[in-house]
Amino acid sequence: MSKSNHFLSLAVLTVSCLAVVAGCTADEAATTTTAPTTSSSADASESTKELRVLRHAVFFSFKESSSPEQIDAVAKAFEQLPSKIDSIVDFDWGVNNSPEGLDDGFTHCFLLSFADEAGRAEYLPHPAHKEFGDTLRPHMKDVFVIDYWGVADEDADADNRDGDETELKHAVFFKFKDDASKVDVAKIEQAFAELPNKIDSITDFEWGTNNSPEKHDDGFTHCFMVTFADEAGREEYLPHPDHKAFVEILMPVLDKARVLDFTTK
């Protein structure tokens, strides 16, 4: 999928979501934002349904007593899960390399994708997943999990499965102030979604609100996954005037941000 077509699809998702958010409760807003089923036309609705993919973003911090070799063994065990659980349709992982200091001590990043909620429902109680948990628990200090509806890019996913290309994922999570209105939050969602049209180094972008059933979200509600070709792309993005302008409108309604970057393996 080309960058222009992908961002056009995101625009359809964003516009339809924002139109609904203003009249919804908080729970309804999360549902319609992350998994929209309405749009300006029946064709657009079917298009967004076909593009949806359920992302499962998982981050670990490890005990100081765990050796690098033990931590590496945990990562390798997680990396084997796609070969054991059919409902995992895509998988990326890497070690945090964000320069922003907003990682809260999390070091290892894993991004799994499922075709739908049924895929996640198969994955969570799967014996292979539970076996991985046995490997993880002696070394895990903390875990952070956010699930959201993203946009499938079949061409990009095929490249990742072949292992021919790497890219830099910039995972940004927001927790908004209790007194932030739905209108204010919707403005932030829209402003962030407009950045790919303003900053050329963004090669891919998706966002959604958390729908994980696992209760490891630490109160964060929004995930924005920004992709760059490499660290040079991030270096262009962070000080970019349009990024700085976005931060200015974000800060008055933001309670906390968490940021983890990783180069896909």
Side-chain angles (χ1 to χ4, degrees):
M1 182 184 295
S2 68
K3 179 177 178 180
S4 60
N5 287 340
H6 185 55
F7 292 155
L8 179 60
S9 298
L10 286 168
V12 172
L13 285 166
T14 301
V15 170
S16 62
C17 293
L18 293 175
V20 177
V21 164
C24 295
T25 65
D27 289 342
E28 289 169 337
T31 301
T32 52
T33 299
T34 56
T37 57
T38 61
S39 67
S40 58
S41 70
D43 289 343
S45 177
E46 289 304 312
S47 175
T48 56
K49 287 180 182 180
E50 292 173 0
L51 290 169
R52 291 192 310 165
V53 64
L54 184 59
R55 305 292 192 195
H56 177 63
V58 183
F59 306 87
F60 297 132
S61 62
F62 291 95
K63 297 176 181 177
E64 293 183 2
S65 58
S66 295
S67 68
E69 292 77 16
Q70 290 171 322
I71 294 171
D72 186 55
V74 170
K76 289 181 177 178
F78 207 157
E79 193 176 19
Q80 293 171 5
L81 288 185
S83 65
K84 300 177 179 181
I85 305 176
D86 291 340
S87 65
I88 300 174
V89 298
D90 195 37
F91 180 90
D92 285 311
W93 80 279
V95 177
N96 179 49
N97 59 29
S98 172
E100 296 185 79
L102 298 173
D103 54 50
D104 292 326
F106 291 96
T107 58
H108 285 61
C109 316
F110 300 85
L111 184 62
L112 292 72
S113 299
F114 307 104
D116 49 32
E117 292 179 348
R120 179 177 62 192
E122 176 185 341
Y123 163 82
L124 290 175
H126 194 285
H129 183 225
K130 290 187 174 182
E131 182 179 357
F132 165 72
D134 293 337
T135 301
L136 167 69
R137 273 187 290 274
H139 306 291
M140 186 187 77
K141 180 180 179 181
D142 200 1
V143 60
F144 172 52
V145 179
I146 293 282
D147 294 358
Y148 67 96
W149 288 101
V151 180
D153 187 334
E154 295 182 359
D155 293 337
D157 290 347
D159 288 342
N160 288 339
R161 284 192 297 271
D162 293 341
D164 295 335
E165 296 182 4
T166 63
E167 55 191 6
L168 181 61
K169 296 288 187 182
H170 176 64
V172 181
F173 305 93
F174 291 153
K175 181 193 303 184
F176 291 98
K177 292 179 180 178
D178 291 339
D179 60 356
S181 70
K182 289 180 288 186
V183 172
D184 288 337
V185 171
K187 288 179 180 178
I188 298 302
E189 295 167 349
Q190 183 175 20
F192 208 152
E194 290 172 351
L195 288 183
N197 294 321
K198 300 176 179 180
I199 305 176
D200 290 340
S201 66
I202 299 175
T203 61
D204 201 7
F205 174 85
E206 63 185 21
W207 74 275
T209 53
N210 180 44
N211 60 41
S212 171
E214 295 188 85
K215 311 303 180 185
H216 296 305
D217 54 44
D218 293 340
F220 290 89
T221 58
H222 285 61
C223 173
F224 298 84
M225 191 68 66
V226 186
T227 303
F228 309 105
D230 48 33
E231 292 186 6
R234 179 178 62 194
E235 290 172 3
E236 176 184 339
Y237 166 83
L238 290 175
H240 194 284
D242 287 308
H243 180 233
K244 289 188 172 183
F246 166 72
V247 173
E248 288 296 319
I249 67 169
L250 167 68
M251 295 308 295
V253 296
L254 181 68
D255 180 13
K256 182 176 175 61
R258 180 173 288 172
V259 179
L260 292 107
D261 296 357
F262 63 100
T263 300
T264 59
K265 295 182 178 290

